[in-house]
Amino acid sequence: MNKDQVKGRIEEAKGKMKEVAGRVSGDKKLEREGKIQNISGKVQAGIGDLKEDIKDAI
């Protein structure tokens, strides 16, 4: 695992927690922020996965 994969997975988890907290508390802004953070974490983890795949292919 590279640092992008780790950071991305952490951001996904933090985003999911915000999303759930916003949903439970009825705070739409917090829920939206969580969704955005979750998606950006997935993108970062995907970039890390791609880097690993390229490294393995070489």
Side-chain angles (χ1 to χ4, degrees):
M1 269 191 139
N2 62 35
K3 66 180 180 178
D4 286 320
Q5 289 172 312
V6 173
K7 287 181 181 179
R9 300 282 186 309
I10 290 169
E11 286 302 308
E12 279 184 72
K14 289 186 335 188
K16 190 64 177 173
M17 287 189 301
K18 275 187 183 178
E19 185 180 345
V20 170
R23 191 176 306 131
V24 169
S25 66
D27 186 347
K28 294 294 182 186
K29 182 180 178 209
L30 184 63
E31 185 177 352
R32 240 185 342 267
E33 287 175 6
K35 284 181 181 181
I36 291 168
Q37 190 171 10
N38 187 357
I39 291 169
S40 69
K42 286 182 181 186
V43 169
Q44 186 173 9
I47 290 169
D49 292 342
L50 182 60
K51 285 181 179 179
E52 283 294 312
D53 290 345
I54 291 170
K55 184 176 143 187
D56 291 341
I58 294 177

